[in-house]
């Protein structure tokens, strides 16, 4: 059963046109940049926005004509949206009371959920006394208290301090794994998407551009945004034969030397895509010598440090993102404007092209 939805919604001049199929017990991450239409999709599923066209089926039952409270949809909003004058217990119990459950069993249900999802939080505390992570836990408990058949989570970690995110991420992963209906998580964070979801749906400008498991999207990103999301460099251009079993991938932004794929006829081949992991790119103060067949000169545009590693964005031709240690950043003095050389071996560039044998890649 699960969810089958064909959603077309218009907001001003912006149109969101998305088809979704989420199986029971499956967690799907709806991923995209700000303004891509992610939250609009959730609001349409929940009945907060009317469809211009399309349909929504949950458990083989058409629900798009039903009022929000009759759809069986649980919606955890980005900022929690807790009732400020209610305690944590009352906030959670409210969802069960709204379904017609009596006060005593509703509070008992709330206490059980709070014990599981927000241990250490005082059930009598009001939202103003709670941290962002604690409020998000209460919001999740309240959503589950309604016993939904479809679970919607809108940027659940966006309002949470960095120190609280690992614990809440673990809680979300366990909650999604235990939920027996379909669930959809909206995020623009690749860590959330890769660690919490079984499948990714990439949304760009209101349309789906790629669907697949995290491993599939990582191996074969379909767009530049997908490549950025999974942390790889993506190139697209025409592959032309070169000397000694190599080829030249000519893109609109620059040229790369690649290893010619086994089984591919040595002829000019347009429409070839290729990926390169940032960790396979070496940075140098001077032009490198040695076995690397690709060397690019340019300036540093951005240095983003995370733990012991740093991602360095370069204005080379083609543009590149390299990943190096923070020690290398300090040793080379890498800051925006620094002039550097980048190199990679031809064999490290992975081509995605159909050959005469199995798919290559």
């Amino acid at each position: 059963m699960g969810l089958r939805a064909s959603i077309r919604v218009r907001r001003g001049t912006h149109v969101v046109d998305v088809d979704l199929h989420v199986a029971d017990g499956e967690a799907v991450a709806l991923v995209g940049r700000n303004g891509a239409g992610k939250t609009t999709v959730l609001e349409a599923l929940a009945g907060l926005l009317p469809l211009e066209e399309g349909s929504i089926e949950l458990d083989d039952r058409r629900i798009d004509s039903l009022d929000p409270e009759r759809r069986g949809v649980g919606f955890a909003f980005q900022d929690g949206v807790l009732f400020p004058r209610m305690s944590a217990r009352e906030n959670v119990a409210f969802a069960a009371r709204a379904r017609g459950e009596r006060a005593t069993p509703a509070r008992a249900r709330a206490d059980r959920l709070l014990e599981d999802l927000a241990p250490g939080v005082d059930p009598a505390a009001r939202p103003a006394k709670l941290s962002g992570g604690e409020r998000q836990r209460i919001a999740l408990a309240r959503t589950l208290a309604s016993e939904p058949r479809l679970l919607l989570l809108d940027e659940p970690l966006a309002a949470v301090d960095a120190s609280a995110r690992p614990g809440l991420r673990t809680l979300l992963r366990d909650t999604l794994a235990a939920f027996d209906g379909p669930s959809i998580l909206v995020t623009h964070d690749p860590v959330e998407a890769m660690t919490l979801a079984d499948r990714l749906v990439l949304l760009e400008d209101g349309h789906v551009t790629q669907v697949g498991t995290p491993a599939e999207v990582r191996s074969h990103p379909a767009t530049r945004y997908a490549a950025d999301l999974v942390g790889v460099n993506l190139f697209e251009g025409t592959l032309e034969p070169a000397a000694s079993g190599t080829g030249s991938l000519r893109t609109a932004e620059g040229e790369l030397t690649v290893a010619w794929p086994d089984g591919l006829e040595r002829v000019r081949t347009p429409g070839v895509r290729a990926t390169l992991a940032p960790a396979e790119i070496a940075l140098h103060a001077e032009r490198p010598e040695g076995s690397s067949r690709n060397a690019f000169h340019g300036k540093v545009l951005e240095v983003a440090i995370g733990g012991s590693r740093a991602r360095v964005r370069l204005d080379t031709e083609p543009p590149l993102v390299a990943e190096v240690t923070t020690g290398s950043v300090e040793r080379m003095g890498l800051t925006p404007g620094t002039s550097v050389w980048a190199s990679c071996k031809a064999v490290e560039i992975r081509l995605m092209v159909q050959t005469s044998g199995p798919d290559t890649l």
Side-chain angles (χ1 to χ4, degrees):
M1 292 186 287
L3 171 73
R4 289 184 179 275
S6 179
I7 295 171
R8 182 179 174 87
V9 176
R10 184 184 301 273
R11 274 186 159 171
T13 60
H14 187 61
V15 175
V16 176
D17 196 346
V18 171
D19 289 335
L20 288 174
H21 177 210
V22 187
D24 282 339
E26 182 184 30
V28 164
L30 190 59
V31 188
R33 294 188 176 92
N34 290 336
K38 307 183 298 297
T39 298
T40 296
V41 172
L42 293 196
E43 291 175 344
L45 290 170
L48 305 180
L49 280 177
L51 299 183
E52 184 178 82
E53 295 179 21
S55 63
I56 303 171
E57 293 184 7
L58 182 60
D59 296 337
D60 293 330
R61 180 175 69 111
R62 185 84 176 258
I63 67 169
D64 50 275
S65 61
L66 300 179
D67 292 336
E69 64 271 14
R70 297 178 56 206
R71 294 192 176 199
V73 177
F75 196 150
F77 295 89
Q78 178 176 332
D79 56 4
V81 196
L82 300 178
F83 299 111
R85 296 184 180 277
M86 289 186 180
S87 68
R89 176 188 290 114
E90 291 168 335
N91 263 282
V92 177
F94 177 85
R97 293 297 306 277
R99 295 175 61 249
E101 193 165 334
R102 298 178 65 180
T104 298
R107 292 193 185 99
R109 182 193 301 275
D111 286 339
R112 290 194 299 272
L113 285 166
L114 288 171
E115 185 176 347
D116 289 340
L117 303 180
V121 173
D122 181 2
R126 291 188 177 183
K129 299 293 185 180
L130 303 176
S131 68
E134 289 171 335
R135 287 193 296 271
Q136 200 62 50
R137 287 171 180 263
I138 303 305
L140 179 59
R142 185 179 63 183
T143 301
L144 293 174
S146 67
E147 297 186 326
R149 279 296 301 142
L150 169 63
L151 181 61
L152 307 178
L153 306 176
D154 188 12
E155 299 278 10
L157 300 179
V160 178
D161 292 340
S163 60
R165 286 180 185 173
L168 187 54
R169 189 178 294 124
T170 298
L171 171 68
L172 288 170
R173 184 169 59 245
D174 293 344
T175 299
L176 292 171
F179 187 67
D180 60 5
S183 55
I184 300 177
L185 162 79
V186 154
T187 184
H188 63 270
D189 186 311
V191 175
E192 290 179 36
M194 296 293 176
T195 58
L196 297 177
D198 302 306
R199 200 156 46 94
L200 308 182
V201 175
L202 273 60
L203 195 63
E204 299 181 56
D205 194 27
H207 295 80
V208 174
T209 55
Q210 187 167 6
V211 178
T213 66
E216 289 168 345
V217 175
R218 187 182 296 112
S219 298
H220 296 82
T223 65
R224 177 62 60 85
Y225 169 68
D228 289 343
L229 178 77
V230 298
V232 300
N233 294 281
L234 177 68
F235 315 101
E236 184 169 2
T238 298
L239 180 62
E240 299 181 354
S244 305
T246 65
S248 175
L249 182 62
R250 301 180 185 274
T251 78
E253 299 171 307
E255 183 177 339
L256 304 101
T257 299
V258 301
W260 194 269
D262 292 339
L264 181 67
E265 186 179 0
R266 288 184 63 82
V267 297
R268 185 174 184 271
T269 306
V272 173
R273 289 184 296 129
T275 59
L276 173 63
E280 301 295 346
I281 299 173
L283 299 184
H284 316 265
E286 304 291 338
R287 185 183 182 97
E289 299 179 359
S291 60
S292 294
R293 290 186 177 270
N294 288 287
F296 311 93
H297 186 254
K299 292 184 178 181
V300 174
L301 295 176
E302 180 186 21
V303 180
I305 295 176
S308 63
R309 307 289 293 180
R311 292 175 67 83
V312 183
R313 191 173 296 275
L314 307 168
D315 72 347
T316 48
E317 296 181 355
L320 297 171
V321 176
E323 182 180 305
V324 297
T325 65
T326 53
S328 295
V329 171
E330 295 175 2
R331 185 173 61 255
M332 297 181 65
L334 299 178
T335 59
T338 302
S339 181
V340 296
W341 284 88
S343 68
C344 67
K345 296 180 179 179
V347 295
E348 302 296 354
I349 299 173
R350 187 179 186 192
L351 296 175
M352 295 183 282
V353 59
Q354 185 72 29
T355 70
S356 57
D359 286 352
T360 292
L361 285 117

